[in-house]
Amino acid sequence: MLNLNRDVVVVGAGPSGLTAARELRRAGLTVAVLEARDRVGGRTWTDTVDGAVLEIGGQWVSPDQTALLELLDELGLETYPRYRRGESIYIGADGIPVRYAGGSFPVDPATAVEMARLTGLLDALAAEIGAAEPWAHPKARELDTISFHQWLRAQSDSEEACNNIGLFVAGGMLTKPAHSFSALQAVLMAASAGSFSHLTDEDFILDRRVVGGMQQVSLLQAEELADDVVLDSPVRTIRWGGGDSAGVTVMSDRATVNARFVIMAVPPNLYSRVSFDPPLPRRQHQMHQHQSLGLVIKVHAVYRTPFWRNSGLSGTCFGAGSLVQEVYDNTNHGDARGTLVGFVSDEKADAVFELGADERKGAILESIAGFLGAEALEPEVYYESDWASEEWTRGAYASSYDLGGLHRYGKDQLAPVGPIYWCSSDLAAEGYQHVDGAIRMGQFTAARISAVAGTSVDAMTGIPGGI
């Protein structure tokens, strides 16, 4: 058992926790990072499965993710563009695959008009409400007490348009059914990416990947921190003074750390895995019960060659009614083999998890083959990323509030409790639920603690989450 004395102890060795620890140490503070897993990276994980290198967790970089891009440059990591040459495939309500070029789905003119109109409405709301304090806007309660499903249908009679627009936030981002989260939560998702139009543009939101994998962002930072990162060390108890008094004792399976501050750099659904002594205030207990992660299966299928390219296809496929709602060419940099990645979200994931492994694999590959043909049925490597079964994650991609929770609790989600600070991509404004948001939160939290501790650390511009 390690007994450590530090200025700051960080719970969680994902991108947010490691960024915070690295920034704090640069500012002259001592740190310890306690990680429950046997690896760093949190919800980023680059692993080799049956000889294939797979991005099991978060992987993409978009042009607006400046915090991530700057850190990649600082760490000496290169990026490469996602393959997107050729035509895409769309399956509409009739179930027929259609090839198309450009960014617009090949729907009938009336549906196209409705999709454009809904996109315009959401772009306007995202610009008006913003990502920093959506709960403070005059429309917050109105938009937070109606589900995104209901809001869309209140704006349009086109079911196909509503389903397609809903796909980009529900299945594509929050990985929850559109009836389970609010229109305000959808607006926050759009505003955090700059606009709703960015969410609908896969060439923007899924622009580039990191050569060698996104987990390197955590691995390289952890290398700098060296022995200050303690793995296989789930935190069980945090004893703090209560009120505003400083000082904590953090007890994990491998270490006891006495510190001035603690950073909870894990998703909110894991806060309850820790016993706080004394207990957290009532407001925190209530708030945490209204935040939860979604459910998605990230499917990896590796083939001898990227066969779809020979047919003039990009590998990009969409179908709101399909079991696999999105498919992309996910071939690794310099790899002669071809890799497809697909996503099965929310209620569709519920359904296939009731199947046995072989039956589930068959159903998923059949769905991909519905877009790209029979060759998709025979991958050399097949793997399902199931983050909901991960003991120290329990869902994907990030937490969101239930209906009505965002305007009710959002203003307090980053409020420190004495020496306890909250830090993860789930709580970010810009870059919400992305690695970029995790880095921003790490930088921001380090700056807050540094200011209280009387040291200096460069922080990002702006203040996320309304604090």
Side-chain angles (χ1 to χ4, degrees):
M1 176 69 72
L2 299 171
N3 289 285
L4 307 173
N5 294 305
R6 296 289 190 271
D7 291 312
V8 185
V9 55
V10 180
V11 180
S16 60
L18 290 169
T19 298
R22 183 169 178 254
E23 293 292 319
L24 287 164
R25 200 157 82 168
R26 284 180 167 183
L29 297 173
T30 58
V31 299
V33 182
L34 304 180
E35 168 56 49
R37 295 182 176 90
D38 62 359
R39 62 170 182 85
V40 301
R43 285 167 278 181
T44 62
W45 186 12
T46 308
D47 200 11
T48 301
V49 177
D50 296 334
V53 177
L54 304 179
E55 287 276 48
I56 293 171
Q59 64 174 71
W60 280 298
V61 186
S62 62
D64 64 325
Q65 294 177 348
T66 54
L68 172 56
L69 288 166
E70 289 170 3
L71 183 56
L72 291 174
D73 185 62
E74 182 182 342
L75 295 173
L77 295 172
E78 298 180 355
T79 64
Y80 64 101
R82 178 178 62 85
Y83 185 85
R84 63 195 79 178
R85 292 194 296 274
E87 294 182 305
S88 302
I89 298 291
Y90 172 78
I91 296 179
D94 59 7
I96 300 173
V98 178
R99 296 171 67 129
Y100 70 100
S104 301
F105 291 168
V107 295
D108 64 72
T111 301
V113 168
E114 286 301 284
M115 288 181 62
R117 191 172 65 80
L118 289 169
T119 297
L121 289 172
L122 287 164
D123 276 344
L125 283 171
E128 177 185 347
I129 293 174
E133 294 182 301
W135 46 82
H137 194 274
K139 295 179 182 177
R141 180 178 177 82
E142 171 191 345
L143 291 171
D144 203 33
T145 53
I146 182 173
S147 75
F148 190 44
H149 174 96
Q150 292 170 309
W151 183 88
L152 287 168
R153 281 149 186 85
Q155 312 305 316
S156 175
D157 292 330
S158 172
E159 188 65 15
E160 185 171 11
C162 290
N163 285 334
N164 284 341
I165 294 298
L167 166 66
F168 292 110
V169 177
M173 288 294 173
L174 301 182
T175 64
K176 293 179 177 180
H179 62 255
S180 68
F181 61 87
S182 72
L184 185 65
Q185 188 77 60
V187 170
L188 169 59
M189 185 72 250
S192 72
S195 70
F196 185 79
S197 292
H198 284 167
L199 296 184
T200 68
D201 181 0
E202 78 276 2
D203 288 345
F204 182 90
I205 199 74
L206 311 179
D207 181 33
R208 305 184 71 84
R209 294 176 60 193
V210 177
V211 176
M214 184 67 81
Q215 191 185 3
Q216 290 179 100
V217 170
S218 295
L219 290 168
L220 292 175
Q221 293 192 94
E223 282 182 14
E224 292 184 28
L225 295 165
D227 292 340
D228 284 332
V229 178
V230 183
L231 302 179
D232 295 305
S233 191
V235 169
R236 307 300 184 181
T237 302
I238 294 177
R239 290 180 179 157
W240 58 291
D244 294 326
S245 59
V248 291
T249 298
V250 178
M251 288 167 280
S252 74
D253 285 2
R254 292 190 57 211
T256 296
V257 186
N258 296 305
R260 297 170 63 190
F261 308 95
V262 58
I263 298 174
M264 290 293 291
V266 297
N269 66 301
L270 296 183
Y271 297 162
S272 62
R273 300 297 304 278
V274 177
S275 295
F276 293 87
D277 181 17
L280 294 173
R282 179 191 309 107
R283 182 74 170 171
Q284 293 286 328
H285 284 164
Q286 286 293 302
M287 174 169 55
H288 301 161
Q289 293 179 65
H290 288 268
Q291 295 167 285
S292 62
L293 275 73
L295 176 63
V296 64
I297 308 171
K298 183 180 183 181
V299 179
H300 313 260
V302 183
Y303 302 87
R304 187 176 61 83
T305 64
F307 64 85
W308 51 93
R309 298 181 186 179
N310 297 331
S311 302
L313 293 172
S314 65
T316 299
C317 312
F318 293 100
S322 300
L323 175 62
V324 182
Q325 295 176 308
E326 303 172 77
V327 179
Y328 302 100
D329 185 321
N330 212 41
T331 303
N332 287 322
H333 180 70
D335 194 346
R337 292 181 296 180
T339 300
L340 293 172
V341 63
F343 298 91
V344 183
S345 295
D346 54 76
E347 292 174 311
K348 292 182 172 70
D350 288 336
V352 294
F353 275 132
E354 293 183 1
L355 306 176
D358 290 342
E359 191 177 359
R360 182 171 63 250
K361 174 182 176 181
I364 288 172
L365 290 175
E366 284 282 356
S367 182
I368 296 175
F371 293 107
L372 296 173
E375 287 180 275
L377 295 171
E378 301 295 336
E380 292 183 345
V381 178
Y382 176 87
Y383 183 79
E384 297 170 4
S385 299
D386 172 21
W387 286 93
S389 67
E390 286 277 319
E391 175 70 7
W392 302 109
T393 303
R394 300 191 170 190
Y397 307 111
S399 70
S400 54
Y401 285 94
D402 58 15
L403 200 62
L406 180 56
H407 87 281
R408 185 177 174 187
Y409 296 108
K411 68 183 178 67
D412 295 317
Q413 64 183 7
L414 287 178
V417 177
I420 305 168
Y421 288 73
W422 318 98
C423 174
S424 70
S425 63
D426 313 77
L427 307 177
E430 291 179 317
Y432 165 56
Q433 83 168 23
H434 290 93
V435 177
D436 179 76
I439 292 165
R440 290 174 185 272
M441 286 304 307
Q443 293 170 342
F444 171 69
T445 308
R448 296 179 84 185
I449 290 176
S450 179
V452 174
T455 62
S456 176
V457 60
D458 291 334
M460 65 184 187
T461 301
I463 299 175
I467 299 301

